[in-house]
Amino acid sequence: MKRISQAQEDKLLDYLDGNLDAIAEKQFEDEISSNVLLKTRLEELLAVNALFQNLSLEQPSKNFTEQVMMKLDTAPASSAWSIRNGVLLLIGVLAALGAISLLLTTGIFDSTATINLNQSELPNKILREQLPSFTLSGKLMINIIILLNIVLAWIVLDRTILRPYFQRRMQA
Amino acid sequence: MIIDPDLPFIDRILAGEQNAYAELIGRHKSYAYTIAFKILQNRPEAEEAAQDSFIKAYQNLKTFNREARFSTWLYRIVFNTSISYKRKNNKVFQSIENTVVIYTQEGEGLLEKTDKTKYLNLAMAKLNEADRTALSLFYLDEFSLEEIAAITGMQANTVKVRIHRARQRLADELKVILNHEALTL
């Protein structure tokens, strides 16, 4: 079956919506009157427009406004933390914790390093006093990182899982 | 500069007058519910999604930058919330190609008003949520293409093309329905 082109289809809709200028509109009307396919399609599109004449707004329940107003104070504020992202972050943090703990047990961080600031190559004009030297324990550093990770994991767990869960329970 | 009749209400709400929000809800609940219903095709879910959207809008009212109309901003929230509800409920998008049309034989003629509505809904159900919403907003005559684009998160040109295609699909579908009706008479 022969069909009109997509460009003609679009032009028909522009014609129906009054988007063509006067000259183009007149030319297109002449084209329609001499082309059966265009004329038929125009009638089909007009039928769609006629169907939409019955389209009206849907109405919500009568107590819609009251229900929303009641929920305004009780509804939990929407969180920027999505559950999916939060769970992924939590898994990442826990995986990092596991990996670090594993490395810690192998003794890889047991060494210590001493930093002597006097070895720096600063000119004597600036440095007139003896600078201290201090020792860094790898194990201590890693323990601090683990501690920070545990705190982070707890915050993520609270924001993404525990808090939404208990808020839902309170609402139920 | 857009003169938005909702701005005085927003100012009152931000000044602490919570009851002014009821007036905003009253002004926009029908459109909000219609958008939700066009996407979800289920009244209780649409009601819940629309209510949820009003709550989200209230909670984020401070972030409304007044560059667009409040209604556009609100309906964008309704649109996104309804799409989220739809995804949560795992309702599979039905494309125009693979949807089965269920024809029913009834004594009354096709062009009776109830039949018109029924066939329109049947044909509309075959479009995806964004097209259905865009088409409804277009025919409700309240929104410009730019506003429909802002609500549905598309470019204005894309909206125009999608509305065109959706109308063409509906015309094709209606032709099939009418032919079928004629054959079964």
Side-chain angles (χ1 to χ4, degrees), chain A residues 40-52:
Chain A
T40 310
R41 190 57 171 167
L42 178 65
E43 282 163 8
E44 289 166 3
L45 292 169
L46 277 169
V48 172
N49 277 1
L51 274 183
F52 274 101

Side-chain angles (χ1 to χ4, degrees), chain B residues 4 6-15 24 61 64 66 70:
Chain B
D4 189 345
D6 292 327
L7 291 183
F9 295 104
I10 293 167
D11 289 335
R12 281 165 57 194
I13 297 159
L14 291 176
L24 271 187
L61 204 55
F64 170 56
R66 301 176 189 228
F70 169 75

Side-chain angles (χ1 to χ4, degrees), chain A residues 6 9-10 13-14 17 41 44 49 52 54 58-59 61 64 67 69 71 73 75-78, chain B residues 18 25 29-30 33-34 43 47 51 55 59 116 139 160 164-165 167-168 170-172 174-175:
Chain A
Q6 188 58 57
E9 290 255 17
D10 288 337
L13 288 168
D14 281 333
D17 297 340
R41 190 57 171 167
E44 289 166 3
N49 277 1
F52 274 101
N54 293 322
E58 304 286 343
Q59 293 304 324
S61 65
F64 183 92
Q67 286 197 350
M69 291 306 286
K71 288 179 189 171
D73 292 325
S78 51
Chain B
Q18 195 186 59
I25 298 170
K29 64 182 178 185
S30 299
Y33 178 72
T34 302
R43 291 192 182 279
E47 177 103 0
Q51 287 188 7
I55 292 164
Q59 287 171 341
K116 275 187 179 179
Y139 275 110
K160 187 182 173 184
H164 271 200
R165 299 292 177 273
R167 289 163 84 186
Q168 289 156 8
L170 287 183
D172 291 338
L174 184 64
K175 192 165 62 179

Side-chain angles (χ1 to χ4, degrees), chain B residues 31-56:
Chain B
Y31 268 105
Y33 178 72
T34 302
I35 292 169
F37 182 67
K38 293 293 170 199
I39 293 166
L40 293 162
Q41 302 277 288
N42 176 299
R43 291 192 182 279
E45 277 180 32
E47 177 103 0
E48 200 184 327
Q51 287 188 7
D52 197 9
S53 306
F54 273 107
I55 292 164
K56 280 184 194 168

Side-chain angles (χ1 to χ4, degrees), chain A residues 148-161:
Chain A
L148 289 174
N149 262 284
I150 290 171
V151 172
L152 180 64
W154 176 252
I155 292 170
V156 173
L157 181 73
D158 176 58
R159 294 280 174 93
T160 60
I161 298 170

